[in-house]
Amino acid sequence: MKKMMLIGESGVGKTTMIQVLSGESFTSRKTMAVEFCGQFIDTPGEFIENRRFYPALITTSADCDVVAMLQDATRISSLFPPLFSSIFTRRVVGVVTKVDVDGGNVERAERFLKNAGAREIIRSSSITGAGLDILKEMLQ
Ligand SMILES: Nc1nc2c(ncn2[C@@H]2O[C@H](COP(=O)(O)OP(=O)(O)O)[C@@H](O)[C@H]2O)c(=O)[nH]1
Ligand SMILES: [Mg+2]
């Protein structure tokens, strides 16, 4: 079974997505440390918000097959630096989250992810389940 590390700012939907994908209720408190949840690695939003944590992300990514960069469709900004994906030696996918929200802007989120170096982009919602099958397939 392959492993996926989810990265993205606080509130983007990392923990919720892991719960829906794995069908297990791993704790949904604000994550303060890297957490190993079966096939998934949940990371604190702080790790993307402060570049002094980038080395921790790189080290943790060594344990996984896929790095998922999550961008919230409702946010008007992104904390991913240009070509951020290039710091990883793993397959990196961009994931737009919360595409179910009216007033979100999926295209804007995709632009942020492309700017961050994502070549594959998946549109997802943990509420409707959109895009989650594609993510599951990546982990087969
Ligand atoms: N509408 C909508 N809300 C979501 C979705 N995914 C997560 N949320 C909500 O966004 C908030 C933050 O989610 P959480 O998983 O804790 O984010 P994390 O900080 O990245 O782990 C919670 O209130 C979730 O219920 C989604 O796909 N659609
Ligand atoms: Mg979380």
Side-chain angles (χ1 to χ4, degrees):
M1 287 285 240
K2 291 188 176 171
K3 279 196 172 188
M4 175 179 281
M5 179 173 88
L6 283 73
I7 63 175
E9 52 196 288
S10 302
V12 68
K14 300 177 295 295
T15 305
T16 306
M17 181 168 285
I18 289 170
Q19 289 180 341
V20 175
L21 281 171
S22 61
E24 287 185 51
S25 54
F26 296 105
T27 49
S28 67
R29 65 199 157 77
K30 188 171 185 299
T31 317
M32 298 305 286
V34 170
E35 293 190 80
F36 296 85
C37 318
Q39 278 180 278
F40 302 96
I41 303 174
D42 198 356
T43 62
E46 286 79 1
F47 277 30
I48 207 76
E49 288 150 13
N50 191 326
R51 57 184 303 150
R52 78 191 150 96
F53 292 118
Y54 292 175
L57 284 180
I58 295 168
T59 305
T60 306
S61 72
D63 281 335
C64 70
D65 304 282
V66 181
V67 176
M69 298 194 296
L70 274 62
Q71 174 67 42
D72 187 328
T74 68
R75 299 245 174 123
I76 60 167
S77 63
S78 174
L79 292 180
F80 291 118
L83 296 180
F84 189 61
S85 66
S86 62
I87 72 171
F88 300 108
T89 57
R90 295 292 183 268
R91 178 178 181 186
V92 178
V93 297
V95 179
V96 179
T97 60
K98 308 189 189 180
V99 301
D100 60 282
V101 179
D102 284 339
N105 187 327
V106 175
E107 290 75 22
R108 177 181 61 204
E110 287 193 355
R111 278 200 304 278
F112 288 139
L113 288 169
K114 279 185 184 148
N115 190 44
R119 277 178 241 150
E120 300 173 76
I121 294 179
I122 294 147
R123 300 174 170 205
S124 79
S125 166
S126 294
I127 302 284
T128 67
L132 300 187
D133 287 350
I134 303 170
L135 290 170
K136 276 188 194 161
E137 271 169 34
M138 283 182 190
L139 297 176
Q140 305 262 296

